[in-house]
Amino acid sequence: MATNTAHHVFGISHSLSGRGWRWRRGNMEMTEGMVPLDRDIVTQLLLARGVEEHDLERHRNPTLRGFLPDPSRFNDMDAAADRIAQAVLSGEKVTVYGDYDVDGATSSALLIRLLRDLGHHADYYIPDRLLEGYGPSGEALVRLGEAGSSLIVTVDCGAMAHEALQQAHDAGIDVIVVDHHKCSPDLPRTVALVNPNRLDEEDEAAAHGHLAAVGVAFLLAIALVRVLRERDYFAARPEPDLFALLDLVALGTVADVAALHGLNRAFVAQGLKVMAKRQNIGMAALIDASRLKRAPACSDLGFALGPRINAGGRVGESTLGVRLLTTQDPAEAQAIAAQLSELNEDRRAIEAAVQEAAEEQLAGQHNRAVAVIAGAGWHPGVIGIVAGRIKEASGKPSLAIALDEATGLGKGSGRSISGVDLGAAIIEARQQGLLIAGGGHAMAAGLTVSADRIEDLAAWLDERLSAQVARATASQTTLLDLSVTAGGLTPELVESLEIAGPYGVGWPGPRIAVGPVRLIKCDVVGTGHVRIVASGGDGRSFKAIGFRMAESDLGQTLLHGASGRRLWLAGRAKIDDWGSRRQAELHLEDAAWAD
């Protein structure tokens, strides 16, 4: 029976990766391979991402004024701001207790810098990933209280720390939780728990459940300054410049893979402008250590800056990120940034070894809805990255678990696919008694499990999520925004496309089809990347690269089976500015025969 290709772009119902090609917007009309003549490219991109006609201008230039909600709409926000204001006014000792990842480091740094600008010194505590694990421990909270902290603010953790926060309460310590992870119906004992993902949140606040913890912390900063303003705190001192903290918000938001729509997109768009000014000494040192010769772009936050901050918590010292982002000493900033870069190289080597072992194990597994892999001696600091790599390769949610043979426990990290809420499943698994601890959000989760329950967990996840995974993968498609000839792939086109950014999860970067083309050159470079030089019928040529694609079916076909045949290539248009002149190149994601 013939496949109906009427609604597929160029009639492609089955690409070289097995996907049908469709326009991102169902009613998108194309004129001779370009966007409709009555729409500029930016307008078309915004409409294709769900923006209504009447709301185009707000999204064309995303600002805080256009997207910022009233912080008081969030449960416990006013109580949290009032309690911190009380600590500032009375000179209480405050400790910020943060997670060891980028979101935790930026959230901690934001509150520390804010309190410093308010004339109040705050301590910080970042747990060691290996020795203490994720989230606040009761012992650590009590020790901080005994050391004089009467108020502790946890950031990017605490939403599910019922026992630890009860211990703190029993010891007479006030704790405020600022988090974004999934919550259970019963909340832990706190002075305030600010989290848009509380189950009792009203619609307006719940609509901001995509915020990273650093975004929630920024809303708390606004609320705190407002309370202090009402109490005439700024009668003899300047108000802090909250906009100057947006570089931290941008970095934490992108690195935590938070959805870049609505307020998050405004945070990142404005935060990149702040970052370009290099006013944060630590951030400037981080940019320099990343060898960026220009102002950072959104992609740099996730692939250059974020991994360096994460390296401290993964394989080094957990406090390095906070120290870097709060220091006022340029020499110290330069030294920490260099140390983080070295640790990031170490992380890559450790990750590669675990990745190889994980792939061998995955090859022998039965076909389950969720890939669950575990290994003794795996470094817990890289399992999140490995889970992400397995997810990319398998196309389904994945969990990687590092086993400690001495304790019989496994520390796991998971990454999900769009349409499958892994965090909710992990919380449910904990409630079912399958896990010792666990939590997360839709796209990522963490857990602690007994080694002898891993197989039970894998079977339970398979049953619990198989329907979601089946729905998410049933009609896999490559969504396109526009098509061009080889000569149409220019730096000017890339610059036009970037106007509708920043792009990320929930606000996908434009995917373009280029062709028809023939491959002039195709080989493997680096760690399994496919490098291509392609030429179109217009006589123009361009470069393309498929990252980590060499061993895939798509990569193998391009390397060995595409000689002389015409193809369409699909991917993201980027600027290659490493050579003597700026050129546009294609970051390849899919391909299909053109004849």
Side-chain angles (χ1 to χ4, degrees):
M1 180 176 177
T3 302
N4 181 6
T5 61
H7 300 295
H8 290 99
V9 178
F10 313 128
I12 297 168
S13 61
H14 195 82
S15 70
L16 295 183
S17 66
R19 297 170 179 265
W21 284 17
R22 296 183 184 272
W23 298 123
R24 191 178 301 279
R25 192 166 183 244
N27 62 348
M28 186 173 182
E29 298 287 343
M30 304 293 282
T31 302
E32 295 183 357
M34 294 301 293
V35 293
L37 297 179
D38 63 337
R39 295 288 190 185
D40 65 273
I41 289 179
V42 175
T43 296
Q44 189 65 39
L45 293 174
L46 295 176
L47 291 171
R49 279 146 188 78
V51 178
E52 300 291 338
E53 293 268 0
H54 66 85
D55 209 16
L56 284 170
E57 291 310 310
R58 185 168 71 116
H59 287 269
R60 192 182 296 271
N61 180 27
T63 64
L64 294 193
R65 182 182 297 275
F67 289 93
L68 198 66
D70 181 352
S72 295
R73 294 286 187 181
F74 294 79
N75 284 330
D76 283 0
M77 181 69 80
D78 289 342
D82 184 77
R83 181 63 186 87
I84 299 175
Q86 177 186 330
V88 171
L89 293 169
S90 61
E92 291 180 64
K93 186 175 181 180
V94 177
T95 295
V96 178
Y97 193 118
D99 188 24
Y100 38 66
D101 69 359
V102 183
D103 195 14
T106 52
S107 301
S108 300
L110 187 148
L111 291 183
I112 291 166
R113 292 173 68 94
L114 172 64
L115 290 171
R116 186 168 67 200
D117 289 345
L118 292 171
H120 191 88
H121 172 77
D123 288 339
Y124 58 83
Y125 186 91
I126 310 295
D128 184 279
R129 181 191 289 263
L130 299 182
L131 300 179
E132 299 176 84
Y134 170 77
S137 70
E139 294 79 6
L141 294 174
V142 171
R143 285 199 307 272
L144 292 172
E146 291 172 346
S149 291
S150 54
L151 175 62
I152 299 173
V153 183
T154 74
V155 289
D156 196 29
C157 59
M160 296 288 291
H162 294 75
E163 295 179 6
L165 295 176
Q166 184 64 50
Q167 281 184 256
H169 174 77
D170 294 343
I173 305 164
D174 286 348
V175 179
I176 294 171
V177 171
V178 179
D179 204 352
H180 70 131
H181 293 98
K182 296 280 186 180
C183 294
S184 59
D186 56 317
L187 299 175
R189 189 72 175 267
T190 62
V191 170
L193 194 156
V194 184
N195 185 337
N197 287 305
R198 284 175 53 155
L199 298 181
D200 59 347
E201 274 294 6
E202 298 295 331
D203 290 346
E204 183 176 347
H208 290 87
H210 63 297
L211 293 180
V214 69
V216 182
F218 185 80
L219 295 179
L220 176 57
I222 295 172
L224 172 58
V225 169
R226 184 164 61 190
V227 170
L228 290 173
R229 185 187 303 126
E230 292 169 352
R231 299 182 185 181
D232 295 325
Y233 187 72
F234 303 113
R237 67 169 62 236
E239 289 195 15
D241 180 6
L242 296 181
F243 273 75
L245 301 173
L246 287 174
D247 57 347
L248 297 171
V249 182
L251 177 56
T253 297
V254 173
D256 212 53
V257 201
L260 291 193
H261 56 76
L263 180 56
N264 275 349
R265 186 161 163 262
F267 276 150
V268 175
Q270 302 305 317
L272 288 170
K273 296 177 184 178
V274 174
M275 200 174 292
K277 297 178 181 178
R278 298 174 59 92
Q279 294 174 336
N280 182 327
I281 292 171
M283 191 75 76
L286 183 64
I287 293 169
D288 292 341
S290 301
R291 298 186 292 277
L292 293 176
K293 303 301 182 184
R294 48 167 172 73
C298 185
S299 58
D300 297 320
L301 308 190
F303 293 103
L305 306 188
R308 285 171 166 77
I309 295 292
N310 256 336
R314 292 187 187 281
V315 298
E317 183 183 341
S318 61
T319 63
L320 287 174
V322 175
R323 287 170 52 198
L324 174 66
L325 297 174
T326 57
T327 184
Q328 295 175 294
D329 182 348
E332 181 185 25
Q334 185 176 12
I336 295 175
Q339 185 178 357
L340 286 171
S341 286
E342 292 176 3
L343 288 170
N344 194 45
E345 292 301 318
D346 294 342
R347 185 270 305 168
R348 287 177 175 172
I350 296 170
E351 174 197 333
V354 175
Q355 179 74 26
E356 182 178 358
E359 289 175 349
E360 290 177 0
Q361 186 179 138
L362 187 67
Q365 279 194 357
H366 297 296
N367 187 26
R368 282 177 163 164
V370 179
V372 179
I373 52 177
W378 289 2
H379 197 297
V382 302
I383 55 174
I385 301 173
V386 171
R389 297 272 192 257
I390 296 298
K391 179 205 75 172
E392 293 174 3
S394 65
K396 56 189 178 183
S398 301
L399 283 173
I401 301 171
L403 298 175
D404 185 335
E405 293 181 310
T407 64
L409 298 179
K411 297 288 186 179
S413 186
R415 298 293 183 268
S416 194
I417 61 175
S418 180
V420 180
D421 191 337
L422 183 61
I426 292 300
I427 290 174
E428 187 177 342
R430 178 183 178 182
Q431 294 168 342
Q432 294 287 330
L434 291 164
L435 301 174
I436 297 169
H441 49 80
M443 300 301 290
L447 57 89
T448 301
V449 61
S450 294
D452 58 3
R453 299 304 304 274
I454 291 177
E455 184 58 31
D456 294 337
L457 173 65
W460 185 87
L461 286 172
D462 182 54
E463 181 179 355
R464 170 69 171 74
L465 294 178
S466 59
Q468 285 188 44
V469 174
R471 285 193 298 270
T473 58
S475 56
Q476 293 185 337
T477 57
T478 293
L479 297 178
L480 299 169
D481 289 283
L482 70 154
S483 65
V484 296
T485 62
L489 183 61
T490 64
E492 291 74 24
L493 173 66
V494 178
E495 290 166 358
S496 296
L497 297 176
E498 288 301 317
I499 294 174
Y503 299 105
V505 175
W507 193 266
R511 185 181 289 116
I512 71 172
V514 187
V517 301
R518 285 186 169 86
L519 304 190
I520 299 174
K521 179 179 180 181
C522 187
D523 59 5
V524 179
V525 295
T527 55
H529 309 316
V530 175
R531 179 177 58 183
I532 290 170
V533 178
S535 176
D538 57 3
R540 303 293 293 275
S541 63
F542 62 93
K543 297 178 182 177
I545 185 164
F547 293 105
R548 294 186 298 275
M549 191 178 285
E551 298 302 319
S552 68
D553 292 341
L554 170 58
Q556 286 295 301
T557 300
L558 294 173
L559 287 165
H560 306 296
S563 178
R565 295 193 64 177
R566 296 197 312 158
L567 302 101
W568 286 97
L569 302 181
R572 318 284 182 174
K574 300 292 183 180
I575 295 292
D576 175 12
D577 52 10
W578 290 103
S580 58
R581 64 186 183 90
R582 298 169 75 246
Q583 300 181 72
E585 65 178 14
L586 189 71
H587 288 189
L588 187 67
E589 297 176 340
D590 203 356
W593 301 122
D595 51 30

